[in-house]
Amino acid sequence: MGINSVDSDASGISREHDQVSNVLRPEALTAISLRCVACGTVYPGFEDAPRYRCDCGGVLDVETEFQLPTQQTATHDTNHAETDLTPLAGAAWRQLFDERATSAPIWALSTDTLLPDRSGVWRYRELILPVPASAIVTRPEGNTGLYPAGLENCDDGRIGHRQIGMFAGLERLFLKHEGENPTGSFKDRGMTVGVTMARLRGAKAVACASTGNTSASLASYAAQAGMQGIVFLPAGQIAGGKLAQSLAYGATTIQIEGDFDAAMHLVEQVCNELGVYLLNSLNPFRVEGQKSIGLELLQQLDWQAPDWLVLPAGNLGNTSAIGKAFRQAHQLGLIHHLPRIASIQAAGANPFYTSYKQKFAHYEPVHAHTVASAIKIGDPVSYARARKVIEESNGVVEQVTDEEILAAKAVIDRSGIGCEPASAAALAGAKKLVAQGVIRRDERVVAVLTGHFLKDSQTGIPQSITGQALKPTLEAVKKALKLQE
Ligand code: F0G
């Protein structure tokens, strides 16, 4: 018996879900279709049984026509000439998103919901998932910091951050800190959309396989929406902070013997067989939510696209999502040029890198090993989507060793910003690409820090204070600090 049918008669929660799905499903989603990345077959965006793959086995990509709200026309920006850094065509879109970003952070009294404009995902809802505000499950998420950290774009108040630019050899570097999301990683951006979709479907249970962050995010959003969260984790391979989140937020937490790739394989079977809604980035709607990382950073840069976007790469959902966001922003005239994307893999978990080196002629999964447990993935699900992104953005794929990752992490930590190990792969990769002359020292670069420092407080961090406990006297302190009498 499926988990859905177990609770089907039960509580007020399930009746409420049924109402939401019945009322909102048809009109909200008819404009959406799903196209197979491998063979091009097109399916409706909403079928009775959720579809995660094409019949050929390929992964799916959401397609839709973007519609500006009817009342929206550009009332400023129209004096700019095409020679400006932002093209004319996207003026109405830019104005819409800029107006929403400045709306006051208040709760709507009539509906008891925080206005979706306050979410760094739903602010861009026409480009993400066009559903009514009442359907949305949001914390809200996004609105994460973009830290200037280059040699030239760091003023004296950020002198400690400048060492990051010095380490990479970059004059104009920004760090987009996705660890500042509600559960401490970028996963919340895809999860708010995935769980909203689950709610529209009337799902009672949602599941994922995870290296830790997706599971923490799923657990939180499932709890909020009154659904059962089920997470499959590779036993003994999850950082403590992430495991604690899944358990504390109340997800059914299942450890499996084996690695992430085995857990991923299993959860797809479980979801298809037991009617649980799958919330890995195999689910194309998760990818739509993660596009907002790209949209938000463009907005923070006043719609002047950077030259490069550098990010850590594991299952390749984020590479796919951010690349897609840039492509769509370019098509809509929000930005003038496509940033180049640099995906950085750990050297022990590098199937995308190896394939890139062979001009994508071959693809071979690997048995993954790396200290950066979040990207310890040997058979990435979104390989085909991410390949398209690298090709169309004239991007690159690079690999970095565990030593390089930990050296970069130490610099980010010491600057006072901090991140989890996998995130530091972005800085390690940027440094390497600058040293190779692929990224020029004076190019504008955004590196994505994907997870919060506290997610993994074990790896690469001193675990105890050195030296003995002092007597609580001024004399003892002076001696310890080696201050002269
Ligand atoms: N950085 C962090 C902190 C991650 O948690 C992940 C993926 C990645 C980078 C890689 O992103 O998969 O989109 O290429 N974590 C997944 C998880 C797999 O289960 O939390 P990707």
Side-chain angles (χ1 to χ4, degrees):
M1 187 188 284
I3 290 180
N4 272 357
S5 45
V6 173
D7 322 320
S8 56
D9 303 320
S11 61
I13 289 174
S14 54
R15 279 198 299 281
E16 186 200 343
H17 286 185
D18 290 341
Q19 273 171 17
V20 169
S21 61
N22 288 342
V23 173
L24 297 178
R25 188 190 304 181
E27 66 272 39
L29 299 168
T30 43
I32 288 176
S33 51
L34 300 176
R35 181 184 292 274
C36 174
V37 177
C39 74
T41 302
V42 177
Y43 300 93
F46 201 105
E47 295 175 274
D48 283 345
R51 174 180 284 282
Y52 313 111
R53 284 189 191 270
C54 178
D55 291 344
C56 82
V59 294
L60 301 167
D61 198 22
V62 172
E63 283 191 345
T64 183
E65 290 267 313
F66 298 135
Q67 297 273 329
L68 268 174
T70 39
Q71 74 279 14
Q72 191 75 28
T73 49
T75 55
H76 59 69
D77 233 18
T78 41
N79 295 331
H80 287 192
E82 272 297 324
T83 50
D84 280 356
L85 287 166
T86 49
L88 265 185
W93 283 108
R94 284 194 297 273
Q95 187 179 325
L96 173 69
F97 300 144
D98 289 348
E99 280 167 6
R100 287 178 181 166
T102 54
S103 69
I106 51 172
W107 293 80
L109 297 179
S110 54
T111 58
D112 201 22
T113 53
L114 189 62
L115 299 171
D117 292 0
R118 297 302 306 166
S119 161
V121 175
W122 297 103
R123 178 176 307 139
Y124 314 101
R125 52 192 170 273
E126 289 81 4
L127 312 189
I128 304 282
L129 188 72
V131 291
S134 57
I136 291 172
V137 181
T138 175
R139 290 285 300 266
E141 44 293 305
N143 300 311
T144 58
L146 184 69
Y147 294 93
L151 289 160
E152 300 286 326
N153 66 340
C154 244
D155 65 20
D156 287 349
R158 295 181 183 276
I159 198 150
H161 295 178
R162 203 178 292 161
Q163 63 187 287
I164 301 172
M166 203 176 299
F167 176 80
L170 282 167
E171 291 168 5
R172 292 181 297 159
L173 171 66
F174 292 88
L175 302 179
K176 177 73 174 152
H177 206 329
E178 288 297 297
E180 295 174 358
N181 271 291
T183 76
S185 84
F186 70 93
K187 302 291 181 179
D188 295 341
R189 293 180 181 265
M191 205 52 73
T192 179
V193 177
V195 171
T196 295
M197 203 59 195
R199 184 163 174 242
L200 285 166
R201 301 198 68 93
K204 316 283 187 304
V206 290
C208 69
S210 183
T211 56
N213 280 326
T214 305
S215 47
S217 184
L218 179 146
S220 166
Y221 282 80
Q224 176 174 342
M227 295 172 194
Q228 182 184 9
I230 307 169
V231 305
F232 293 86
L233 306 176
Q237 298 177 44
I238 304 298
K242 304 176 189 181
L243 183 59
Q245 285 180 292
S246 290
L247 294 169
Y249 299 150
T252 306
T253 303
I254 300 171
Q255 304 190 71
I256 63 134
E257 292 172 14
D259 56 13
F260 169 82
D261 300 297
M264 187 64 228
H265 186 67
L266 178 66
V267 76
E268 204 180 332
Q269 278 180 300
V270 167
C271 289
N272 285 329
E273 292 295 318
L274 305 185
V276 177
Y277 192 60
L278 177 71
L279 282 177
N280 278 98
S281 54
L282 180 60
N283 182 323
F285 296 103
R286 273 261 327 264
V287 173
E288 293 306 289
Q290 285 173 212
K291 287 190 323 196
S292 64
I293 303 171
L295 297 170
E296 190 174 273
L297 73 87
L298 290 177
Q299 186 169 25
Q300 287 169 310
L301 293 173
D302 200 17
W303 306 107
Q304 295 171 25
D307 299 304
W308 286 92
L309 186 285
V310 189
L311 82 171
N315 219 15
L316 299 177
N318 235 9
T319 300
S320 311
I322 299 178
K324 186 175 180 186
F326 288 161
R327 179 182 3 111
Q328 292 179 335
H330 190 230
Q331 282 163 354
L332 289 173
L334 278 162
I335 51 172
H336 248 312
H337 72 266
L338 269 186
R340 297 177 71 184
I341 304 241
S343 279
I344 314 298
Q345 293 214 288
N350 64 354
F352 193 44
Y353 170 77
T354 309
S355 179
Y356 165 78
K357 280 296 187 194
Q358 300 166 48
K359 299 198 171 5
F360 294 120
H362 305 284
Y363 167 74
E364 191 73 41
V366 302
H367 186 65
H369 293 282
T370 168
V371 70
S373 59
I375 51 174
K376 186 166 177 269
I377 295 172
D379 190 9
V381 156
S382 287
Y383 168 81
R385 293 175 182 143
R387 172 188 165 169
K388 189 173 158 197
V389 161
I390 297 299
E391 288 174 336
E392 76 185 6
S393 78
N394 188 23
V396 299
V397 185
E398 189 48 84
Q399 63 173 359
V400 288
T401 63
D402 283 356
E403 292 69 35
E404 289 168 325
I405 290 173
L406 291 179
K409 175 174 157 57
V411 173
I412 296 166
D413 289 350
R414 282 295 190 91
S415 79
I417 290 177
C419 66
E420 71 160 285
S423 307
L427 180 64
K431 177 184 171 68
K432 201 163 184 176
L433 292 169
V434 171
Q436 291 167 1
V438 177
I439 300 181
R440 279 200 335 260
R441 185 181 172 83
D442 63 348
E443 286 187 297
R444 221 151 52 105
V445 178
V446 177
V448 183
L449 300 182
T450 43
H452 197 279
F453 171 86
L454 290 173
K455 289 281 191 169
D456 181 349
S457 54
Q458 298 289 311
T459 308
I461 303 164
Q463 292 301 303
S464 59
I465 305 172
T466 49
Q468 288 175 337
L470 291 189
K471 287 207 166 26
T473 65
L474 189 56
E475 277 316 299
V477 173
K478 280 184 180 170
K479 216 167 148 193
L481 298 180
K482 299 193 173 57
L483 296 180
Q484 300 299 325
E485 283 300 318

